[in-house]
DNA sequence: ATCCGTCTCCCCCTGACGGCGGAGGGGCCC
DNA sequence: GGGCCCCTCCGCCGTCAGGGGGAGACGGAT
């Protein structure tokens, strides 16, 4: 493998034990260097600001400012910010989503093996091309729920019927839909009736529900 | 670092060029060994079945069966299946979501540097603790959209009003809600009126829309 | 030339919905 | 004791929504 430049690391965790354990693991590698430690979120922000590391291992639960907030602040205030890896104990923490949204580059479990930790730090230090599942799997499942396979009836709706359903699902009355579509109210009634028939619903409310459940409203 | 066991790898990509490029990069590492290649999804499944690799680098677009399907089949049919890393060109491919859902252990961009590729393969070969964003960031954003901060009116709904709204959003009529809640129809009407007032909507359809938009229906 | 699907519009009728105003009982807080 | 909120119900009444019927026009397919 090509010779690697030294990766500068800051550890942020409120437990001294955890910090020294991480430091011990990382310092054993010649190409990794722990250049700073922080015990609180606020401290993490200032330490990172002055040490300018390549990677930050950031605990989620910390006094004063939690790891998520600290991540946000670091990414918001520093140009050329470090890669921040959020460290936590349980992968099902809802923190995962917040961490990702906050801009964390990675997500690490405390029970990770030393070997994995080292490789993860190296990898995250200079790339952003890989992602690992477990917690992400649930996100994907959510995505599937938000954009489900369109039910058969979606395809059978005619152009106008789709328009009508979309407007129904915006809470418009038939009269309003008629004005919006520049047709007569009777026409709208016809289309609504067709929509109800094709969706297998009995009133506009159920039709709107079907539209939402079908992801009909998410597709812009 | 501790001595590593050899990682057995299968490459699945319909372009010979890509396969030999990957093989060249991976073979340069003493602890990585390419034990098989496949040019189609179907071939990938059978090659994996007979070579039993630790890691599969799986292209998304392939003839016959795409990488996602192949991933599903491999994970479904093999006990102790390999870690499958899906390889693609663009990180915003909607494939990402499908790949994750299919059970891919990782996600790799073709433009990844050789060094990152090697490290990623090593990492994925024996761990599942890290995840990387970019594409995942959008998933997190989606999550935020699916579970938005509840609008103020949610908190102001009384217990019964919440129940009524929930049943409204299941498409029930007032009479049905009355039966379900074991109260008189008039009571339901009162609650509905209160819901409409508090949500600032004018009819049940709009109220249901508000409920959906507020994520009111996602919270189980 | 004919059929079928789509879009447009019409009438009539029933029933559900929602606005209005009111009322009684129970619990909680001061 | 007196508010206050919540839950429970009661009419009355106008409106809108949906069901059941059509019907005419246009276009594409056969």
């Amino acid at each position: 493998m090509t010779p690697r430049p030294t990766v500068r690391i800051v550890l942020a965790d409120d437990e001294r034990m955890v910090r020294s354990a991480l430091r011990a693991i990382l310092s054993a590698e010649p190409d990794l260097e722990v250049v700073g430690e922080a015990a609180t979120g606020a401290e993490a922000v200032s330490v990172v600001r002055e040490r300018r590391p390549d990677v930050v291992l950031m605990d989620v639960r910390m006094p004063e400012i939690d790891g998520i907030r600290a991540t946000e602040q670091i990414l918001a205030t520093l140009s050329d910010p470090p890669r921040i890896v959020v460290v936590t104990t349980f992968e099902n923490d809802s923190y995962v989503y917040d961490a990702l949204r906050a801009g964390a580059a990675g997500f690490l479990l405390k029970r990770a093996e030393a070997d994995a930790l080292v490789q993860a730090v190296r990898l995250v230090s200079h790339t952003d091309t890989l992602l690992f599942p477990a917690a992400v799997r649930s996100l994907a499942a959510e995505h599937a729920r938000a954009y489900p396979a369109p039910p058969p009836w979606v395809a059978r709706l005619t152009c106008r019927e789709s328009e009508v359903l979309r407007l129904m699902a915006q809470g418009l009355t038939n009269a309003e839909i008629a004005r919006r579509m520049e047709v007569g109210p009777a026409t709208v009634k016809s289309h609504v009736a067709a929509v109800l028939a094709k969706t297998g619903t009995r009133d506009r409310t159920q039709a709107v529900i079907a539209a939402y459940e079908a992801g009909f409203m998410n597709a812009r």
Side-chain angles (χ1 to χ4, degrees), chain A:
Chain A
M1 193 174 314
T2 61
R4 269 188 295 268
T6 298
V7 178
R8 295 161 48 80
I9 305 168
V10 160
L11 307 177
D13 196 307
D14 59 335
E15 289 177 48
R16 184 179 306 274
M17 286 279 293
V18 174
R19 291 204 305 275
S20 31
L22 291 175
R23 180 184 275 272
I25 292 169
L26 297 170
S27 299
E29 305 298 317
D31 60 330
L32 306 183
E33 184 189 2
V34 176
V35 298
E37 293 188 11
T40 70
E43 205 181 324
V45 174
S46 62
V47 169
V48 166
R49 205 187 305 266
E50 75 187 35
R51 304 312 308 263
R52 298 294 174 141
D54 302 305
V55 174
V56 181
L57 294 187
M58 178 82 74
D59 188 25
V60 178
R61 258 168 289 223
M62 281 190 297
E64 300 176 47
I65 302 180
D66 65 32
I68 308 294
R69 284 270 186 84
T71 299
E72 282 171 3
Q73 288 191 16
I74 289 170
L75 293 178
T77 59
L78 269 68
S79 63
D80 190 26
R83 298 309 185 96
I84 299 178
V85 176
V86 169
V87 183
T88 190
T89 307
F90 305 104
E91 59 190 317
N92 284 342
D93 261 335
S94 66
Y95 290 123
V96 179
Y97 310 120
D98 299 326
L100 288 174
R101 203 162 53 249
F107 187 79
L108 198 55
L109 294 184
K110 282 189 179 172
R111 75 173 111 88
E113 297 162 26
D115 201 37
L117 169 66
V118 169
Q119 289 177 27
V121 169
R122 286 208 188 98
L123 186 55
V124 77
S125 71
H126 71 338
T127 187
D128 190 280
T129 53
L130 187 76
L131 60 84
F132 282 66
V136 181
R137 206 75 49 85
S138 67
L139 269 181
E142 231 178 75
H143 178 264
R145 206 167 50 76
Y147 296 93
W153 56 260
V154 172
R156 294 210 303 273
L157 289 181
T158 70
C159 174
R160 295 302 254 180
E161 286 158 4
S162 296
E163 283 184 63
V164 168
L165 176 54
R166 211 167 286 284
L167 293 171
M168 278 195 285
Q170 285 168 28
L172 304 193
T173 65
N174 288 345
E176 288 168 336
I177 294 174
R179 280 194 291 277
R180 191 75 71 88
M181 291 176 64
E182 294 180 332
V183 296
T187 304
V188 175
K189 287 190 70 172
S190 296
H191 290 316
V192 169
V195 168
L196 295 184
K198 290 185 181 177
T199 54
T201 53
R202 70 178 172 211
D203 56 41
R204 69 200 297 102
T205 303
Q206 285 192 354
V208 168
I209 293 168
Y212 267 90
E213 297 291 351
F216 190 77
M217 300 312 295
N218 292 334
R220 188 139 26 287

